[in-house]
Amino acid sequence: MLSRVADSIYWLNRYVERAENIARFIDVNLNLILDLPSGPAQQWDPIVYTTGDQELFYQRYGQATQETVIQFLAFDRDYPNSILSCLRLARENARSVREVISSEMWERVNRFYLMVKEAAQQGPHLSQLHDFFTEVKLASHLFAGVMDATMTHGEGWHFGQIGRLLERADKTARILDVKYFILLPSLQYVGTALDELQWIALLKSASAYEMYRKHSRQHRINPREVASFLILDRQFPRSIQFCLIHADRSLHQITGTPADTWRDPSERALGRLRSELDYLTIDDIMEQGLHEFLDKLQLQMNHVGDCIYETFFAIRPLQPSESPLLSQRQAQLT
């Protein structure tokens, strides 16, 4: 497969997943704000921090309010990680590989983009925002389902899976880090009803609340169990461990390298990260500090992404020793 094609399918899926996750964060916060007594900044600042682009936001918008944060994260044309920008970039990547993806995939991502574009032009009313973000999440699920059902599960499909799963793992780590490190206004709220409401919101942002309740035997939300579930659970499809396990499987399907071995830097980086999580317990994580662990984990996942780019997508000039024509010519002259 051409590196250009693999790169486009990888980012097509990564952008669609990113748009869905942003919609999750905003929608859950809209519901949470109805139950919490805190001021607007305490409710919307953390959502900006999940993006890692808080400096850009404050430079352009100043204060974090419901209106400014939703405009920035959902509809800002100049912010490359807004829902609108993500869908525009996803559509451009899909357009460039229309000969490889199925027509149903192209139709889905095109409709998805046009739906978000129309909402950005009209500026949905507050009462319509929940419906809009629900539509974004459903459109992302529909795209993933159409891709699974209509695209050959070969190299292209596996590159798409890797993009989707790495993006999902990154966003799960970010939202968990934000809750644990900066979301609570004061330590006095730890263990209170306010604290529990925010942990429930976190679980709902990952569509994990119901599965966590089935998994946990405790009546109250336990932060250690929530962290363990979202980081280490091997069966829940939005946990970090699950995402890395299946991304690693897709990577080995692409390279043909046997499982638990490596041949290139991307296999080594992803396999090493996955193996580290295999032998961790929540006690190990808490001992080193959840924020410190998640911060390091995000850096490692960024490194995995860089290795995948260098291994599969980067275009390098052909060296003379690598050219078969030059090699043949040199052989004739000697």
Side-chain angles (χ1 to χ4, degrees):
M1 172 171 285
L2 294 174
S3 62
R4 173 190 64 81
V5 174
D7 187 30
S8 293
I9 297 175
Y10 173 88
W11 281 106
L12 161 62
N13 282 269
R14 189 147 194 170
Y15 282 129
V16 169
E17 181 69 25
R18 186 172 299 175
E20 178 192 339
N21 279 282
I22 293 171
R24 287 174 177 277
F25 299 159
I26 301 176
D27 192 36
V28 168
N29 209 58
L30 285 170
N31 292 323
L32 178 64
I33 200 171
L34 300 175
D35 300 319
L36 298 181
S38 306
Q42 292 175 322
Q43 301 312 313
W44 292 102
D45 276 326
I47 305 301
V48 178
Y49 275 85
T50 62
T51 68
D53 296 319
Q54 59 271 18
E55 292 185 9
L56 176 63
F57 171 82
Y58 290 116
Q59 178 184 347
R60 296 178 55 185
Y61 290 90
Q63 186 178 1
T65 65
Q66 177 175 296
E67 292 74 19
T68 58
V69 171
I70 290 177
Q71 176 62 30
F72 179 66
L73 294 182
F75 305 122
D76 193 327
R77 295 177 179 275
D78 298 321
Y79 174 49
N81 291 318
S82 70
I83 294 175
L84 179 62
S85 296
C86 285
L87 268 297
R88 184 181 68 248
L89 292 168
R91 183 172 180 258
E92 291 174 2
N93 278 284
R95 185 195 299 277
S96 70
V97 290
R98 286 192 65 179
E99 73 281 3
V100 177
I101 64 175
S102 66
S103 58
E104 291 87 352
M105 288 174 62
W106 163 250
E107 181 181 349
R108 281 293 114 203
V109 75
N110 192 46
R111 288 187 178 184
F112 195 177
Y113 167 71
L114 293 176
M115 182 267 290
V116 174
K117 181 181 178 182
E118 181 180 358
Q121 292 172 341
Q122 294 179 352
H125 189 267
L126 177 62
S127 61
Q128 301 172 320
L129 284 173
H130 173 70
D131 291 339
F132 168 72
F133 292 123
T134 299
E135 286 297 316
V136 171
K137 290 182 284 184
L138 291 176
S140 174
H141 295 166
L142 184 56
F143 174 78
V146 166
M147 178 176 166
D148 284 348
T150 64
M151 185 177 183
T152 302
H153 288 204
E155 287 185 354
W157 184 86
H158 284 294
F159 274 116
Q161 282 290 100
I162 293 172
R164 178 184 298 122
L165 292 167
L166 289 182
E167 183 68 29
R168 184 177 296 175
D170 176 75
K171 290 300 180 286
T172 298
R174 284 180 181 273
I175 192 65
L176 182 57
D177 190 23
V178 166
K179 168 63 186 82
Y180 195 83
F181 190 59
I182 66 170
L183 189 55
L184 281 177
S186 171
L187 289 177
Q188 69 184 13
Y189 292 105
V190 173
T192 65
L194 171 62
D195 188 29
E196 183 160 358
L197 279 173
Q198 291 177 334
W199 282 109
I200 291 172
L202 182 149
L203 287 165
K204 288 182 176 180
S205 70
S207 292
Y209 180 65
E210 292 183 5
M211 292 301 103
Y212 169 79
R213 282 300 194 189
K214 291 175 170 53
H215 171 82
S216 175
R217 298 179 181 179
Q218 299 188 23
H219 178 67
R220 293 184 62 87
I221 298 291
N222 184 307
R224 288 172 64 90
E225 285 196 4
V226 172
S228 178
F229 185 67
L230 292 179
I231 296 171
L232 300 174
D233 193 90
R234 301 173 67 90
Q235 297 179 329
F236 179 63
R238 303 194 74 87
S239 79
I240 296 172
Q241 176 74 311
F242 180 97
C243 291
L244 295 180
I245 288 172
H246 288 268
D248 187 55
R249 290 178 182 174
S250 284
L251 183 59
H252 280 83
Q253 287 293 320
I254 292 168
T255 62
T257 305
D260 300 320
T261 63
W262 63 275
R263 187 173 56 189
D264 58 60
S266 62
E267 291 174 326
R268 181 175 183 269
L270 182 52
R272 181 176 181 178
L273 178 55
R274 182 191 58 76
S275 297
E276 287 178 4
L277 291 183
D278 281 342
Y279 294 96
L280 278 179
T281 67
I282 190 61
D283 291 332
D284 297 328
I285 293 173
M286 291 300 185
E287 183 177 344
Q288 61 180 291
L290 182 59
H291 169 67
E292 289 75 14
F293 169 80
L294 291 171
D295 189 52
K296 178 184 175 183
L297 184 64
Q298 290 172 44
L299 292 174
Q300 289 175 298
M301 288 191 288
N302 289 339
H303 177 62
V304 170
D306 292 340
C307 288
I308 289 173
Y309 170 79
E310 291 293 335
T311 302
F312 298 105
F313 308 147
I315 300 176
R316 303 182 184 85
L318 192 64
Q319 299 299 320
S321 60
E322 297 173 339
S323 171
L325 293 178
L326 283 175
S327 299
Q328 292 176 26
R329 179 60 176 162
Q330 290 169 353
Q332 292 173 357
L333 294 175
T334 55

